Amino acid sequence: MHLHPLIARLPLVERSAIGQLCELRSYARNETILASNECTRSFYCVESGLVRVVAQGRDGAQEDTEVTTDFIRRHDFYLGGSLSEPQYLAAHRLIAVLPSTIYLVPVPVIRALCERHHGIALELLGAEAARMNVLRRQIRRISSLSSEEMVGRVLHKMTQIAPAGHEAYDKRVTQGVIASYAGVSREVVNRTMREMERRGVLLRDSQGVHVPQDFAGTDFGLPPSAP
């Protein structure tokens, strides 16, 4: 946590004190990090891996009814409630897309940090505003693009948030995850990817799934990846 961009500019003594109050946990691929309607006292900060934010459909037990609304990558965070209370009821489910390590930071620690350093509070507000803009654009795309175009855009996004070499994404990202974010069925994702392979615009190998950068335009508005 000492080198996380959110606190990297703070004095070493303060960074060390915050680090001692955090808990670092590791999660396996597809493991639930936080259940919806679970009471939590934590601000979730991704140190490594990739996490998805899931809104449950009407049939809560069915995977196909899960809708992925966002992805949290390295050095990004999730706070599903207000900083005004020491705990909150999670509105979403957090699931590790890839093996992930997460810092669990007590909400009061984040609140105190924002009170002492207004610049950090502004950074958090800016990140949340950017996330809402991305979600709005995603909803517009789902309603206006064909299923095939939507799948292509999501595959392209995966090369940015789960990279595995040049113009490729980690092959452990499942078609179910892609479908839940693209707003289509897994059958549509499977059919689209097979057609892309047939046309030679998608290649699977031991490194990952390769999607040429110019195959699908993107306007996901992602910030640059942290080094």
Side-chain angles (χ1 to χ4, degrees), residues 95-107:
I95 304 172
V97 178
L98 302 172
S100 301
T101 54
I102 316 289
Y103 278 107
L104 276 63
V105 189
V107 170

Side-chain angles (χ1 to χ4, degrees), residues 169-185:
Y169 70 85
D170 195 308
K171 63 183 179 181
R172 292 173 295 179
V173 177
T174 67
Q175 291 184 358
V177 168
I178 293 167
S180 72
Y181 190 65
V184 299
S185 68

Side-chain angles (χ1 to χ4, degrees), residues 1 5 15 38 54 57 100-101 106 113 118 122 130 137 142 189:
M1 191 68 184
R15 295 202 311 268
E38 179 181 345
V54 174
S100 301
T101 54
L113 193 61
H118 294 169
L122 291 175
R137 287 197 294 269
I142 289 174
V189 173

Side-chain angles (χ1 to χ4, degrees), residues 21 42 131:
L21 296 171
S42 298
R131 184 170 292 155

Side-chain angles (χ1 to χ4, degrees), residues 94-148:
L94 300 185
I95 304 172
V97 178
L98 302 172
S100 301
T101 54
I102 316 289
Y103 278 107
L104 276 63
V105 189
V107 170
V109 172
I110 294 295
R111 183 174 67 238
L113 193 61
C114 290
E115 290 171 351
R116 290 195 305 272
H117 304 281
H118 294 169
I120 289 178
L122 291 175
E123 284 185 42
L124 290 176
L125 286 173
E128 282 298 299
R131 184 170 292 155
M132 292 304 299
N133 285 333
V134 169
L135 178 58
R136 281 194 290 268
R137 287 197 294 269
Q138 176 71 356
I139 292 171
R140 286 199 299 270
R141 282 189 292 266
I142 289 174
S143 63
S144 61
L145 297 177
S146 70
S147 297
E148 289 73 16

Side-chain angles (χ1 to χ4, degrees), residues 10-197:
L10 299 181
L12 177 59
V13 172
E14 191 169 3
R15 295 202 311 268
S16 298
I18 292 170
Q20 291 175 2
L21 296 171
C22 300
E23 179 182 1
L24 182 63
R25 292 185 184 177
S26 297
Y27 296 89
R29 177 171 169 256
N30 296 326
E31 183 176 355
T32 295
I33 298 165
L34 177 67
S36 57
N37 296 319
E38 179 181 345
C39 189
T40 179
R41 299 174 59 87
S42 298
F43 175 96
Y44 296 80
C45 190
V46 177
E47 174 62 17
S48 66
L50 183 67
V51 173
R52 63 186 177 116
V53 181
V54 174
Q56 204 70 37
R58 284 175 292 184
D59 296 330
Q62 298 298 320
E63 181 183 347
D64 285 344
T65 66
E66 290 181 346
V67 177
T68 297
T69 62
D70 196 9
F71 291 95
I72 310 173
R73 55 180 176 169
R74 183 172 184 256
H75 288 172
D76 204 350
F77 63 86
Y78 173 81
L79 175 67
S82 169
L83 288 176
S84 61
E85 299 293 335
Q87 60 187 24
Y88 60 93
L89 201 64
H92 302 94
R93 185 179 174 202
L94 300 185
I95 304 172
V97 178
L98 302 172
S100 301
T101 54
I102 316 289
Y103 278 107
L104 276 63
V105 189
V107 170
V109 172
I110 294 295
R111 183 174 67 238
L113 193 61
C114 290
E115 290 171 351
R116 290 195 305 272
H117 304 281
H118 294 169
I120 289 178
L122 291 175
E123 284 185 42
L124 290 176
L125 286 173
E128 282 298 299
R131 184 170 292 155
M132 292 304 299
N133 285 333
V134 169
L135 178 58
R136 281 194 290 268
R137 287 197 294 269
Q138 176 71 356
I139 292 171
R140 286 199 299 270
R141 282 189 292 266
I142 289 174
S143 63
S144 61
L145 297 177
S146 70
S147 297
E148 289 73 16
E149 289 173 323
M150 193 63 222
V151 170
R153 283 176 176 259
V154 174
L155 294 178
H156 184 270
K157 177 172 183 174
M158 290 301 150
T159 67
Q160 298 175 310
I161 64 174
H166 181 61
E167 297 183 352
Y169 70 85
D170 195 308
K171 63 183 179 181
R172 292 173 295 179
V173 177
T174 67
Q175 291 184 358
V177 168
I178 293 167
S180 72
Y181 190 65
V184 299
S185 68
R186 278 176 293 182
E187 289 74 16
V188 168
V189 173
N190 182 269
R191 183 176 67 246
T192 302
M193 292 181 70
R194 282 191 283 108
E195 175 60 19
M196 290 171 65
E197 282 188 288

